[in-house]
PDB file of all heavy atoms in Angstrom:
ATOM      1  N   GLY A  61    -103.632  48.204 -29.156  1.00  0.00           N
ATOM      2  CA  GLY A  61    -104.284  48.902 -27.981  1.00  0.00           C
ATOM      3  C   GLY A  61    -105.229  49.957 -28.507  1.00  0.00           C
ATOM      4  O   GLY A  61    -104.875  51.078 -28.719  1.00  0.00           O
ATOM      5  N   THR A 120    -101.184  64.979 -35.961  1.00  0.00           N
ATOM      6  CA  THR A 120    -101.843  63.753 -36.535  1.00  0.00           C
ATOM      7  C   THR A 120    -101.746  62.572 -35.612  1.00  0.00           C
ATOM      8  O   THR A 120    -100.855  61.652 -35.802  1.00  0.00           O
ATOM      9  CB  THR A 120    -101.305  63.421 -37.930  1.00  0.00           C
ATOM     10  OG1 THR A 120    -101.337  64.665 -38.704  1.00  0.00           O
ATOM     11  CG2 THR A 120    -102.000  62.314 -38.653  1.00  0.00           C
ATOM     12  N   GLY A 121    -102.383  62.630 -34.445  1.00  0.00           N
ATOM     13  CA  GLY A 121    -102.251  61.528 -33.299  1.00  0.00           C
ATOM     14  C   GLY A 121    -101.062  61.947 -32.395  1.00  0.00           C
ATOM     15  O   GLY A 121    -100.220  62.700 -32.720  1.00  0.00           O
ATOM     16  N   ALA A 122    -101.275  61.401 -31.172  1.00  0.00           N
ATOM     17  CA  ALA A 122    -100.305  61.542 -30.176  1.00  0.00           C
ATOM     18  C   ALA A 122     -98.929  61.044 -30.652  1.00  0.00           C
ATOM     19  O   ALA A 122     -97.851  61.489 -30.277  1.00  0.00           O
ATOM     20  CB  ALA A 122    -100.678  60.932 -28.855  1.00  0.00           C
ATOM     21  N   LYS A 123     -99.024  60.035 -31.548  1.00  0.00           N
ATOM     22  CA  LYS A 123     -97.739  59.440 -32.096  1.00  0.00           C
ATOM     23  C   LYS A 123     -96.898  60.646 -32.789  1.00  0.00           C
ATOM     24  O   LYS A 123     -95.677  60.591 -32.594  1.00  0.00           O
ATOM     25  CB  LYS A 123     -98.171  58.352 -33.101  1.00  0.00           C
ATOM     26  CG  LYS A 123     -97.116  57.285 -33.263  1.00  0.00           C
ATOM     27  CD  LYS A 123     -97.668  56.081 -34.049  1.00  0.00           C
ATOM     28  CE  LYS A 123     -97.024  54.827 -33.774  1.00  0.00           C
ATOM     29  NZ  LYS A 123     -97.722  53.653 -34.319  1.00  0.00           N
ATOM     30  N   GLN A 124     -97.596  61.350 -33.617  1.00  0.00           N
ATOM     31  CA  GLN A 124     -96.890  62.432 -34.297  1.00  0.00           C
ATOM     32  C   GLN A 124     -96.317  63.463 -33.220  1.00  0.00           C
ATOM     33  O   GLN A 124     -95.300  64.064 -33.391  1.00  0.00           O
ATOM     34  CB  GLN A 124     -97.647  63.107 -35.381  1.00  0.00           C
ATOM     35  CG  GLN A 124     -96.735  63.970 -36.243  1.00  0.00           C
ATOM     36  CD  GLN A 124     -97.454  64.991 -37.124  1.00  0.00           C
ATOM     37  OE1 GLN A 124     -98.673  65.185 -37.071  1.00  0.00           O
ATOM     38  NE2 GLN A 124     -96.834  65.563 -38.077  1.00  0.00           N
ATOM     39  N   LEU A 126     -95.416  62.973 -30.258  1.00  0.00           N
ATOM     40  CA  LEU A 126     -94.218  62.382 -29.633  1.00  0.00           C
ATOM     41  C   LEU A 126     -92.940  62.560 -30.503  1.00  0.00           C
ATOM     42  O   LEU A 126     -91.940  62.968 -30.097  1.00  0.00           O
ATOM     43  CB  LEU A 126     -94.361  60.939 -29.252  1.00  0.00           C
ATOM     44  CG  LEU A 126     -95.329  60.585 -28.124  1.00  0.00           C
ATOM     45  CD1 LEU A 126     -95.756  59.067 -28.150  1.00  0.00           C
ATOM     46  CD2 LEU A 126     -94.819  60.965 -26.781  1.00  0.00           C
ATOM     47  N   TRP A 147     -93.690  52.298 -24.229  1.00  0.00           N
ATOM     48  CA  TRP A 147     -94.441  52.048 -25.371  1.00  0.00           C
ATOM     49  C   TRP A 147     -93.381  51.846 -26.548  1.00  0.00           C
ATOM     50  O   TRP A 147     -92.498  52.623 -26.737  1.00  0.00           O
ATOM     51  CB  TRP A 147     -95.374  53.158 -25.726  1.00  0.00           C
ATOM     52  CG  TRP A 147     -96.270  52.981 -26.873  1.00  0.00           C
ATOM     53  CD1 TRP A 147     -96.881  51.688 -27.285  1.00  0.00           C
ATOM     54  CD2 TRP A 147     -96.521  53.866 -27.968  1.00  0.00           C
ATOM     55  NE1 TRP A 147     -97.544  51.867 -28.384  1.00  0.00           N
ATOM     56  CE2 TRP A 147     -97.342  53.188 -28.867  1.00  0.00           C
ATOM     57  CE3 TRP A 147     -96.194  55.229 -28.106  1.00  0.00           C
ATOM     58  CZ2 TRP A 147     -97.852  53.825 -29.981  1.00  0.00           C
ATOM     59  CZ3 TRP A 147     -96.616  55.862 -29.223  1.00  0.00           C
ATOM     60  CH2 TRP A 147     -97.480  55.120 -30.195  1.00  0.00           C
ATOM     61  N   TYR A 150     -91.298  54.588 -28.523  1.00  0.00           N
ATOM     62  CA  TYR A 150     -90.458  55.551 -27.877  1.00  0.00           C
ATOM     63  C   TYR A 150     -88.997  55.413 -28.323  1.00  0.00           C
ATOM     64  O   TYR A 150     -88.420  56.464 -28.775  1.00  0.00           O
ATOM     65  CB  TYR A 150     -90.549  55.497 -26.315  1.00  0.00           C
ATOM     66  CG  TYR A 150     -91.751  55.923 -25.574  1.00  0.00           C
ATOM     67  CD1 TYR A 150     -92.886  56.378 -26.324  1.00  0.00           C
ATOM     68  CD2 TYR A 150     -91.797  55.996 -24.220  1.00  0.00           C
ATOM     69  CE1 TYR A 150     -93.972  56.911 -25.615  1.00  0.00           C
ATOM     70  CE2 TYR A 150     -92.845  56.451 -23.573  1.00  0.00           C
ATOM     71  CZ  TYR A 150     -94.015  56.868 -24.322  1.00  0.00           C
ATOM     72  OH  TYR A 150     -95.052  57.305 -23.568  1.00  0.00           O
ATOM     73  N   SER A 193     -95.026  57.315 -19.651  1.00  0.00           N
ATOM     74  CA  SER A 193     -96.446  57.451 -19.784  1.00  0.00           C
ATOM     75  C   SER A 193     -97.097  56.984 -18.424  1.00  0.00           C
ATOM     76  O   SER A 193     -96.621  55.920 -17.902  1.00  0.00           O
ATOM     77  CB  SER A 193     -97.020  56.660 -20.900  1.00  0.00           C
ATOM     78  OG  SER A 193     -96.730  55.297 -20.763  1.00  0.00           O
ATOM     79  N   ASN A 197     -98.517  52.441 -20.767  1.00  0.00           N
ATOM     80  CA  ASN A 197     -98.655  51.418 -21.855  1.00  0.00           C
ATOM     81  C   ASN A 197     -97.294  50.840 -21.946  1.00  0.00           C
ATOM     82  O   ASN A 197     -96.358  51.574 -22.181  1.00  0.00           O
ATOM     83  CB  ASN A 197     -99.024  52.032 -23.187  1.00  0.00           C
ATOM     84  CG  ASN A 197     -99.077  50.924 -24.315  1.00  0.00           C
ATOM     85  OD1 ASN A 197     -98.877  49.804 -24.059  1.00  0.00           O
ATOM     86  ND2 ASN A 197     -99.449  51.361 -25.505  1.00  0.00           N
ATOM     87  N   ASP A 226     -96.546  61.488 -21.223  1.00  0.00           N
ATOM     88  CA  ASP A 226     -97.543  60.993 -22.246  1.00  0.00           C
ATOM     89  C   ASP A 226     -98.689  60.576 -21.358  1.00  0.00           C
ATOM     90  O   ASP A 226     -98.742  59.677 -20.586  1.00  0.00           O
ATOM     91  CB  ASP A 226     -96.992  59.784 -22.971  1.00  0.00           C
ATOM     92  CG  ASP A 226     -97.805  59.176 -23.896  1.00  0.00           C
ATOM     93  OD1 ASP A 226     -98.971  59.427 -23.970  1.00  0.00           O
ATOM     94  OD2 ASP A 226     -97.270  58.338 -24.770  1.00  0.00           O
ATOM     95  N   ILE A 228    -101.895  60.015 -22.623  1.00  0.00           N
ATOM     96  CA  ILE A 228    -103.056  59.535 -23.421  1.00  0.00           C
ATOM     97  C   ILE A 228    -104.047  58.698 -22.752  1.00  0.00           C
ATOM     98  O   ILE A 228    -105.248  58.644 -23.221  1.00  0.00           O
ATOM     99  CB  ILE A 228    -102.482  58.966 -24.776  1.00  0.00           C
ATOM    100  CG1 ILE A 228    -103.526  58.825 -25.755  1.00  0.00           C
ATOM    101  CG2 ILE A 228    -101.713  57.667 -24.525  1.00  0.00           C
ATOM    102  CD1 ILE A 228    -103.214  59.237 -27.169  1.00  0.00           C
ATOM    103  N   TYR A 229    -103.650  58.022 -21.697  1.00  0.00           N
ATOM    104  CA  TYR A 229    -104.652  57.102 -20.901  1.00  0.00           C
ATOM    105  C   TYR A 229    -105.180  57.782 -19.760  1.00  0.00           C
ATOM    106  O   TYR A 229    -105.703  57.086 -18.852  1.00  0.00           O
ATOM    107  CB  TYR A 229    -103.924  55.793 -20.564  1.00  0.00           C
ATOM    108  CG  TYR A 229    -103.563  54.929 -21.751  1.00  0.00           C
ATOM    109  CD1 TYR A 229    -102.234  54.961 -22.368  1.00  0.00           C
ATOM    110  CD2 TYR A 229    -104.539  54.211 -22.438  1.00  0.00           C
ATOM    111  CE1 TYR A 229    -101.879  54.239 -23.440  1.00  0.00           C
ATOM    112  CE2 TYR A 229    -104.095  53.499 -23.590  1.00  0.00           C
ATOM    113  CZ  TYR A 229    -102.809  53.533 -24.055  1.00  0.00           C
ATOM    114  OH  TYR A 229    -102.474  52.843 -25.255  1.00  0.00           O
ATOM    115  N   GLY A 256    -104.269  63.075 -26.394  1.00  0.00           N
ATOM    116  CA  GLY A 256    -104.947  62.913 -27.728  1.00  0.00           C
ATOM    117  C   GLY A 256    -106.330  62.377 -27.475  1.00  0.00           C
ATOM    118  O   GLY A 256    -106.748  62.161 -26.369  1.00  0.00           O
ATOM    119  N   SER A 258    -107.587  59.621 -29.200  1.00  0.00           N
ATOM    120  CA  SER A 258    -107.657  58.107 -29.600  1.00  0.00           C
ATOM    121  C   SER A 258    -108.362  57.271 -28.499  1.00  0.00           C
ATOM    122  O   SER A 258    -109.242  56.462 -28.708  1.00  0.00           O
ATOM    123  CB  SER A 258    -106.370  57.500 -29.893  1.00  0.00           C
ATOM    124  OG  SER A 258    -105.901  58.014 -31.143  1.00  0.00           O
ATOM    125  N   LYS A 259    -107.851  57.399 -27.270  1.00  0.00           N
ATOM    126  CA  LYS A 259    -108.337  56.476 -26.230  1.00  0.00           C
ATOM    127  C   LYS A 259    -109.511  56.977 -25.485  1.00  0.00           C
ATOM    128  O   LYS A 259    -110.487  56.296 -25.258  1.00  0.00           O
ATOM    129  CB  LYS A 259    -107.196  56.334 -25.203  1.00  0.00           C
ATOM    130  CG  LYS A 259    -105.809  56.047 -25.779  1.00  0.00           C
ATOM    131  CD  LYS A 259    -105.704  54.644 -26.536  1.00  0.00           C
ATOM    132  CE  LYS A 259    -104.546  54.796 -27.453  1.00  0.00           C
ATOM    133  NZ  LYS A 259    -104.001  53.499 -27.913  1.00  0.00           N
ATOM    134  N   THR A 264    -109.307  56.308 -32.565  1.00  0.00           N
ATOM    135  CA  THR A 264    -107.880  55.910 -33.084  1.00  0.00           C
ATOM    136  C   THR A 264    -107.725  56.289 -34.460  1.00  0.00           C
ATOM    137  O   THR A 264    -106.691  56.617 -34.897  1.00  0.00           O
ATOM    138  CB  THR A 264    -107.709  54.401 -32.803  1.00  0.00           C
ATOM    139  OG1 THR A 264    -108.833  53.740 -33.230  1.00  0.00           O
ATOM    140  CG2 THR A 264    -107.396  54.134 -31.237  1.00  0.00           C
ATOM    141  N   ARG A 267    -106.954  60.176 -35.984  1.00  0.00           N
ATOM    142  CA  ARG A 267    -105.550  60.708 -35.932  1.00  0.00           C
ATOM    143  C   ARG A 267    -105.610  62.159 -35.337  1.00  0.00           C
ATOM    144  O   ARG A 267    -105.318  63.177 -36.099  1.00  0.00           O
ATOM    145  CB  ARG A 267    -104.813  60.615 -37.247  1.00  0.00           C
ATOM    146  CG  ARG A 267    -104.963  59.363 -37.986  1.00  0.00           C
ATOM    147  CD  ARG A 267    -104.581  58.157 -37.102  1.00  0.00           C
ATOM    148  NE  ARG A 267    -103.223  58.192 -36.565  1.00  0.00           N
ATOM    149  CZ  ARG A 267    -103.011  58.016 -35.296  1.00  0.00           C
ATOM    150  NH1 ARG A 267    -103.875  57.852 -34.408  1.00  0.00           N
ATOM    151  NH2 ARG A 267    -101.770  58.089 -34.815  1.00  0.00           N
ATOM    152  N   LEU A 268    -105.816  62.275 -34.026  1.00  0.00           N
ATOM    153  CA  LEU A 268    -105.835  63.563 -33.502  1.00  0.00           C
ATOM    154  C   LEU A 268    -105.134  63.581 -32.025  1.00  0.00           C
ATOM    155  O   LEU A 268    -105.577  62.870 -31.127  1.00  0.00           O
ATOM    156  CB  LEU A 268    -107.333  64.020 -33.303  1.00  0.00           C
ATOM    157  CG  LEU A 268    -107.666  65.474 -33.103  1.00  0.00           C
ATOM    158  CD1 LEU A 268    -107.162  66.348 -34.276  1.00  0.00           C
ATOM    159  CD2 LEU A 268    -109.133  65.732 -32.976  1.00  0.00           C
ATOM    160  N   GLY A 269    -104.004  64.291 -31.944  1.00  0.00           N
ATOM    161  CA  GLY A 269    -103.320  64.406 -30.733  1.00  0.00           C
ATOM    162  C   GLY A 269    -102.781  65.815 -30.629  1.00  0.00           C
ATOM    163  O   GLY A 269    -102.915  66.623 -31.474  1.00  0.00           O
ATOM    164  N   TYR A 345    -104.332  47.370 -20.454  1.00  0.00           N
ATOM    165  CA  TYR A 345    -103.344  46.274 -20.764  1.00  0.00           C
ATOM    166  C   TYR A 345    -102.981  45.504 -19.500  1.00  0.00           C
ATOM    167  O   TYR A 345    -103.021  46.033 -18.379  1.00  0.00           O
ATOM    168  CB  TYR A 345    -102.073  46.842 -21.310  1.00  0.00           C
ATOM    169  CG  TYR A 345    -102.263  47.767 -22.478  1.00  0.00           C
ATOM    170  CD1 TYR A 345    -102.178  49.177 -22.274  1.00  0.00           C
ATOM    171  CD2 TYR A 345    -102.492  47.288 -23.738  1.00  0.00           C
ATOM    172  CE1 TYR A 345    -102.310  49.988 -23.394  1.00  0.00           C
ATOM    173  CE2 TYR A 345    -102.691  48.126 -24.813  1.00  0.00           C
ATOM    174  CZ  TYR A 345    -102.598  49.475 -24.608  1.00  0.00           C
ATOM    175  OH  TYR A 345    -102.691  50.306 -25.713  1.00  0.00           O
TER     176      TYR A 345
HETATM  177  N1  PMP B  12     -98.784  57.019 -26.456  1.00  0.00           N
HETATM  178  C1  PMP B  12     -99.122  55.778 -25.970  1.00  0.00           C
HETATM  179  C2  PMP B  12     -98.600  55.464 -24.708  1.00  0.00           C
HETATM  180  C3  PMP B  12     -99.898  54.939 -26.774  1.00  0.00           C
HETATM  181  O1  PMP B  12    -100.282  53.795 -26.344  1.00  0.00           O
HETATM  182  C4  PMP B  12    -100.323  55.346 -28.077  1.00  0.00           C
HETATM  183  C5  PMP B  12    -101.071  54.465 -28.884  1.00  0.00           C
HETATM  184  N2  PMP B  12    -102.328  54.795 -29.066  1.00  0.00           N
HETATM  185  C6  PMP B  12     -99.866  56.668 -28.502  1.00  0.00           C
HETATM  186  C7  PMP B  12     -99.223  57.452 -27.641  1.00  0.00           C
HETATM  187  C8  PMP B  12    -100.386  57.229 -29.854  1.00  0.00           C
HETATM  188  O2  PMP B  12    -101.750  57.518 -29.842  1.00  0.00           O
HETATM  189  P1  PMP B  12    -102.288  58.109 -31.212  1.00  0.00           P
HETATM  190  O3  PMP B  12    -103.459  57.171 -31.663  1.00  0.00           O
HETATM  191  O4  PMP B  12    -103.058  59.369 -30.677  1.00  0.00           O
HETATM  192  O5  PMP B  12    -101.327  58.393 -32.134  1.00  0.00           O
END
Side-chain angles (χ1 to χ4, degrees):
T120 305
K123 205 171 204 171
Q124 190 193 15
L126 291 165
W147 182 44
Y150 285 6
S193 60
N197 178 1
D226 182 343
I228 191 134
Y229 294 98
S258 284
K259 315 292 159 162
T264 46
R267 313 307 302 127
L268 199 58
Y345 306 104

